[in-house]
Amino acid sequence: MRVSLKSTLVVAAAVLGILALVVFNPESRPQQETPQPEVAAPSVTAGSPNEPVTEQTASPGPAEVPAEVQEFIDNYADPNASDDEWGQALAPNVTPALYASLLSSDRELARAAGHEILDVDDGRVSVGTKTDVSYTLEYAQLEDDHEHEGHAEAGHPIVTGIDFTDAPDGAALPLGTDGVEQVRAPVQEALTAVVAQPGGQSDEDREQLIRGTFTSPEKALSIPRSVDDGAAVRIGNAHELVLAAEDDQLVVHATVPYARDGENTPTWTTVTIELTRDATGAWSPQDAHL
């Protein structure tokens, strides 16, 4: 079949028209992203609205303690106060028993203890220098009128005991938080001398035992025998040990059961034991009275 030249030219013109529409149509061409100019980040200064929110990682310091406890900590480590000034400064913020023990305690140990509060936990305060704990004290709210005239009224926070972390051997320590256990052994020894008695013990034997137990038994020698017919008397362990002070001396009010040999029903008596320091700094019986 013969195709005329005119027809061929018409078809070619149509094809070229279609190609022109495709090439020059903006919607049919791929779009290229126009680069955007860079924008400088806003400057950030502390406290400005642009400051980023970050999680706080610093650990909080120790909780605050009552002013009375802080006062005790500062006064206890005071290197410049005289012994009298030191004692007077400590008196309002400690129990009478602790105060009496402090008066005969190692002052050099107190000076070196530091006064930084390193930890506070439910009435216990750790004190020392930098990260080294020298001692931990306990304090409580005073509820009854205090025996010592230098102390405040009820509602006053008061230090009840001091536990040293690593005290040197032979140091005269203040009463700790387990003060009763610190004095139990010398108290039991004293009670054995004045309340218990072996069968047939003579007055001379008893006097010798008392003098060998107490350092200054002026009143202990006047305590009457538990029984006066020469029978043997046994005692139990001391009960209800109450730490106190008389004329700024540490004393213990100790209640103890005793009975004749062969009897099962005990009699109870309370003896006040006066304590002093021995050469090692430990507590020793000085005297006793009913």
Side-chain angles (χ1 to χ4, degrees), residues 17 38 50 65 70 73 86 93 122 162 165 176 178 181 194 218 223 236 246:
E38 294 185 0
N50 295 323
V65 298
Q70 181 67 65
I73 292 170
W86 185 67
N93 300 313
D122 193 23
I162 303 171
T165 302
D178 61 344
E181 295 306 316
V194 297
E218 298 177 5
I223 296 177
E246 293 180 353

Side-chain angles (χ1 to χ4, degrees), residues 167-183:
D169 293 338
L173 300 177
L175 284 176
T177 56
D178 61 344
V180 167
E181 295 306 316
Q182 285 180 258
V183 304

Side-chain angles (χ1 to χ4, degrees), residues 76-99:
Y76 184 59
D78 187 350
N80 301 317
S82 68
D83 288 345
D84 288 342
E85 292 170 339
W86 185 67
Q88 291 171 4
L90 297 177
N93 300 313
V94 297
T95 63
L98 179 55
Y99 177 70

Side-chain angles (χ1 to χ4, degrees), residues 112-149:
H115 55 80
E116 296 181 29
I117 297 176
L118 303 178
D119 188 39
V120 179
D121 182 20
D122 193 23
R124 290 179 62 85
V125 183
S126 296
V127 182
T129 55
K130 296 183 179 179
T131 59
D132 296 328
V133 175
S134 298
Y135 67 87
T136 299
L137 65 80
E138 277 192 2
Y139 70 90
Q141 204 77 11
L142 185 65
E143 296 182 356
D144 300 320
D145 290 340
H146 213 287
E147 296 179 21
H148 196 278
E149 61 183 8

Side-chain angles (χ1 to χ4, degrees), residues 6-286:
K6 184 178 180 179
S7 299
T8 301
L9 291 175
V10 171
V11 172
V15 171
L16 289 174
I18 293 171
L19 288 175
L21 289 174
V22 172
V23 171
F24 294 102
N25 185 1
E27 294 181 359
S28 65
R29 297 167 65 185
Q31 299 295 318
Q32 295 183 354
E33 294 184 1
T34 303
Q36 298 294 325
E38 294 185 0
V39 179
S43 61
V44 177
T45 58
S48 72
N50 295 323
E51 182 180 8
V53 177
T54 58
E55 183 178 354
Q56 297 295 325
T57 57
S59 58
E64 293 185 359
V65 298
E68 295 84 355
V69 176
Q70 181 67 65
E71 183 179 14
F72 167 82
I73 292 170
D74 293 337
N75 289 329
Y76 184 59
D78 187 350
N80 301 317
S82 68
D83 288 345
D84 288 342
E85 292 170 339
W86 185 67
Q88 291 171 4
L90 297 177
N93 300 313
V94 297
T95 63
L98 179 55
Y99 177 70
S101 75
L102 283 166
L103 293 179
S104 61
S105 66
D106 191 333
R107 180 77 187 276
E108 290 303 317
L109 194 63
R111 288 190 179 102
H115 55 80
E116 296 181 29
I117 297 176
L118 303 178
D119 188 39
V120 179
D121 182 20
D122 193 23
R124 290 179 62 85
V125 183
S126 296
V127 182
T129 55
K130 296 183 179 179
T131 59
D132 296 328
V133 175
S134 298
Y135 67 87
T136 299
L137 65 80
E138 277 192 2
Y139 70 90
Q141 204 77 11
L142 185 65
E143 296 182 356
D144 300 320
D145 290 340
H146 213 287
E147 296 179 21
H148 196 278
E149 61 183 8
H151 291 76
E153 298 179 353
H156 181 75
I158 199 164
V159 180
T160 59
I162 303 171
D163 296 330
F164 270 84
T165 302
D166 190 19
D169 293 338
L173 300 177
L175 284 176
T177 56
D178 61 344
V180 167
E181 295 306 316
Q182 285 180 258
V183 304
R184 184 178 293 278
V187 166
Q188 191 69 30
E189 180 187 9
L191 293 172
T192 300
V194 297
V195 179
Q197 61 188 49
Q201 182 189 53
S202 67
D203 290 340
E204 292 77 11
D205 291 340
R206 183 171 185 264
E207 179 179 343
Q208 184 178 359
L209 176 61
I210 290 175
R211 290 188 181 279
T213 301
F214 297 90
T215 60
S216 181
E218 298 177 5
K219 291 169 277 190
L221 291 170
S222 301
I223 296 177
R225 287 174 174 269
S226 301
V227 297
D228 56 8
D229 58 2
V233 175
R234 68 187 189 279
I235 66 170
N237 293 327
H239 290 249
E240 300 177 16
L241 274 66
V242 179
L243 304 175
E246 293 180 353
D247 297 326
D248 292 338
Q249 180 178 14
L250 179 62
V251 302
V252 182
H253 305 303
T255 301
V256 63
Y258 69 90
R260 293 170 179 264
D261 275 350
E263 293 184 356
N264 295 324
T265 303
T267 301
W268 294 81
T269 187
T270 299
V271 182
T272 297
I273 311 297
E274 301 172 10
L275 296 175
T276 188
R277 304 274 189 180
D278 64 18
T280 68
W283 294 107
S284 177
Q286 176 177 304

